Amino acid sequence: MFKIVSVAVIASAMAMSAHAQDAGSKYYVEAGLGLAQIELDGLDEEFGVLNLGAGYTFNRYFAVEGNVAFGITEKTYNVAGFDVDAKVDYTVGAYAVGSLPVSENVDLIGRMGVVKAQIKVEADNVSLTEDDTGAALGVGVRYFPNGGVHGVRADYTYYDFDNVDSSVIQVSYVRRF
């Protein structure tokens, strides 16, 4: 159901983009904190991430953006008598973003794209990294008080990796230019 709603929002936004008027601000940057959920072979953990992004808005209904996130929390596990530290090393993604204006100050957003993620595991001076690339689908909301250039964004993104179920919930500060 989530994937169908995301695709429908993005498809309708793209169809409307040909007739939309220029919203004024073309570029935006964002920075925020997120909570990444990772499920792998019975492991179900949450890791904190710092999210940074930038985008280009073609009109009020369609944009493209790139995001990078870095792990800011680490978990320690005892495996066979050894302490093993694990964390999200990074994620890098590129997205097509569709916006559906609810009011002058609020937009519902849907995005789809591709993301690469890397998890890092360390134990006794031995380091192992595991990375994967997959599709990403997300939905969220943006709010710009009084239609200004400063706003807030909250979103949920699901990552479709081969061996790992993963998603992130994040809240970000947004600045339009």
Side-chain angles (χ1 to χ4, degrees), residues 27-113:
Y27 300 95
Y28 61 91
V29 294
E30 60 186 39
L33 296 175
L35 188 62
Q37 178 77 27
I38 297 174
E39 296 177 30
L40 171 66
D41 295 334
L43 176 68
D44 186 3
E45 287 291 346
E46 296 174 344
F47 295 89
V49 293
L50 171 65
N51 176 60
L52 304 170
Y56 178 79
T57 303
F58 293 98
N59 54 51
R60 181 131 191 222
Y61 302 98
F62 182 67
V64 291
E65 68 182 26
N67 291 104
V68 62
F70 302 98
I72 56 174
T73 61
E74 179 176 286
K75 304 283 179 159
T76 301
Y77 306 96
N78 191 294
V79 179
F82 295 97
D83 283 340
V84 178
D85 298 323
K87 71 182 274 187
V88 173
D89 202 13
Y90 68 84
T91 64
V92 176
Y95 302 90
V97 181
S99 298
L100 182 62
V102 175
S103 71
E104 281 297 314
N105 304 333
V106 178
D107 293 331
L108 298 178
I109 58 171
R111 68 181 187 162
M112 64 181 175

